[in-house]
Amino acid sequence: MFVQCPAVSPFEWHPFSITSAPGDDYLSIHVRQLGDWTRELKRVFAAACEPPVGGKSGLLRADETTKKALPKLLIDGPYGSPAQDYSKYDVLLLVGLGIGATPFISILKDLLNNIIRMEEEEDASTDLYPPVGPNKPHIDLSTLMTVTSRPKRVLRTTNAYFYWVTREQGSFDWFKGVMNEIAELDQRNIIEMHNYLTSVYEEGDARSALITMLQALNHAKNGVDIVSGTKVRTHFARPNWKKVLSKIASKHPFAKIGVFYCGAPVLAQELNKLCHEFNGKSTTKFEFHKEHF
């Protein structure tokens, strides 16, 4: 969607990816300070918000006393994006570089919300079926008709793999809450999340051995990754995309995989080439979609 803040500029509209899911009762975007407009946006909101507590990330939140004084925002949208048709695929591979992760946060939340809603409906239907046995031979026909007449929710997407690649450790603060929420709610391990920090030497390199050891110990003891501050384990260097696609292809034969990418054009070319390569030699079919900032 496009956003305008008259307090910053009454003429400028800027596009942002929506990071809230369709089922959420709020609308959210994540704004990175990159240029005059975004820096001024932070300044005018910071002036109206409570200052961050010492030691925190610096993300500012408004409370009831400051809401009335917040700058006005105008929005235009929403507009379509390549990833909005994710539900037509059996499996998703979501790849975000840096702030390019934003379009996929909404998808992960929506997928999880749909799965939870579907399971709740199945549980409710099970509760409504009357017990049948030698002691209770009679069936409540009206209840049975109510249950069977309801349209059954069908969710085609069974798994999602999210790869977030960033150079800056501080980037993990952007979606810390969302990633922890997904990790806690995803009891069936439908969503597999991978964080990659490219500014550290790859695992196995002697120069990153100490941080790898500390990371493994802390994750085993507390369930929290010391690099990202989330439940999602952080890997170092860049992913081996050929291995990533090979693993998904062998795990999901005959499946239709939606590969969605947001980031720099260079990696888009590599992923697109790999999708074509695997389509020619495996039963799994990859369809590549991209968007750039």
Side-chain angles (χ1 to χ4, degrees):
M1 68 179 183
F2 283 85
V3 177
Q4 188 207 88
C5 181
V8 177
S9 169
F11 306 110
E12 291 186 48
W13 291 85
H14 293 266
F16 293 95
S17 297
I18 298 171
T19 51
S20 51
D24 291 338
D25 58 357
Y26 60 89
L27 189 64
S28 71
I29 58 173
H30 282 68
V31 182
R32 183 185 182 189
Q33 286 186 82
L34 196 67
D36 296 341
W37 190 87
T38 49
R39 289 193 186 95
E40 183 61 13
L41 184 72
K42 189 199 173 180
R43 191 195 67 76
V44 296
F45 269 87
C49 291
E50 291 291 319
V53 182
K56 296 295 182 181
S57 66
L59 295 173
L60 302 165
R61 296 194 178 276
D63 58 22
E64 293 301 321
T65 58
T66 58
K67 275 183 181 175
K68 291 178 183 177
L70 287 174
K72 186 178 180 181
L73 285 178
L74 306 178
I75 61 172
D76 178 25
Y79 290 92
S81 69
Q84 71 181 43
D85 293 328
Y86 80 85
S87 56
K88 71 179 186 180
Y89 294 100
D90 303 312
V91 177
L92 304 177
L93 172 58
L94 311 173
V95 181
L97 262 60
I99 197 65
T102 50
F104 307 130
I105 297 300
S106 177
I107 291 178
L108 292 174
K109 289 173 71 178
D110 188 45
L111 178 61
L112 194 60
N113 288 345
N114 286 334
I115 290 165
I116 291 169
R117 200 177 298 122
M118 190 172 67
E119 289 179 346
E120 287 174 349
E121 287 177 6
E122 286 176 359
D123 291 342
S125 297
T126 305
D127 293 340
L128 280 170
Y129 276 110
V132 180
N135 299 326
K136 294 185 179 180
H138 301 292
I139 295 175
D140 183 348
L141 189 59
S142 63
T143 303
L144 190 60
M145 288 178 68
T146 303
V147 173
T148 54
S149 63
R150 286 180 181 170
K152 189 174 178 66
R153 185 187 294 269
V154 178
L155 192 65
R156 178 172 177 175
T157 308
T158 58
N159 292 89
Y161 299 87
F162 175 50
Y163 284 79
W164 185 15
V165 184
T166 182
R167 289 175 55 216
E168 302 162 8
Q169 183 184 352
S171 304
F172 294 125
D173 275 343
W174 299 341
F175 308 115
K176 185 189 287 186
V178 175
M179 296 185 87
N180 280 333
E181 182 186 1
I182 291 168
E184 286 171 15
L185 293 175
D186 185 22
Q187 299 297 321
R188 288 169 52 191
N189 298 318
I190 289 162
I191 298 169
E192 193 177 292
M193 295 184 288
H194 300 270
N195 292 338
Y196 276 82
L197 187 63
T198 59
S199 57
V200 179
Y201 295 105
E202 65 181 331
E203 289 157 35
D205 192 298
R207 290 165 291 187
S208 62
L210 180 60
I211 191 170
T212 304
M213 185 174 67
L214 290 171
Q215 182 192 35
L217 286 169
N218 194 70
H219 201 275
K221 185 179 179 181
N222 305 312
V224 176
D225 183 75
I226 58 171
V227 179
S228 65
T230 70
K231 296 176 185 293
V232 182
R233 182 81 178 266
T234 301
H235 308 278
F236 302 126
R238 289 174 173 78
N240 183 325
W241 295 113
K242 192 166 187 175
K243 282 185 179 178
V244 169
L245 267 72
S246 177
K247 181 183 171 185
I248 293 174
S250 60
K251 196 172 181 181
H252 303 281
F254 303 101
K256 188 178 178 184
I257 316 286
V259 181
F260 297 94
Y261 169 75
C262 186
V266 179
L267 182 55
Q269 295 171 7
E270 182 185 345
L271 288 172
N272 192 25
K273 185 180 175 182
L274 283 170
C275 287
H276 284 294
E277 183 183 319
F278 277 93
N279 285 343
K281 65 180 184 181
S282 71
T283 58
T284 308
K285 295 304 169 192
F286 294 88
E287 286 190 13
F288 182 69
H289 305 270
K290 65 178 180 180
E291 56 181 306
H292 305 306
F293 281 127

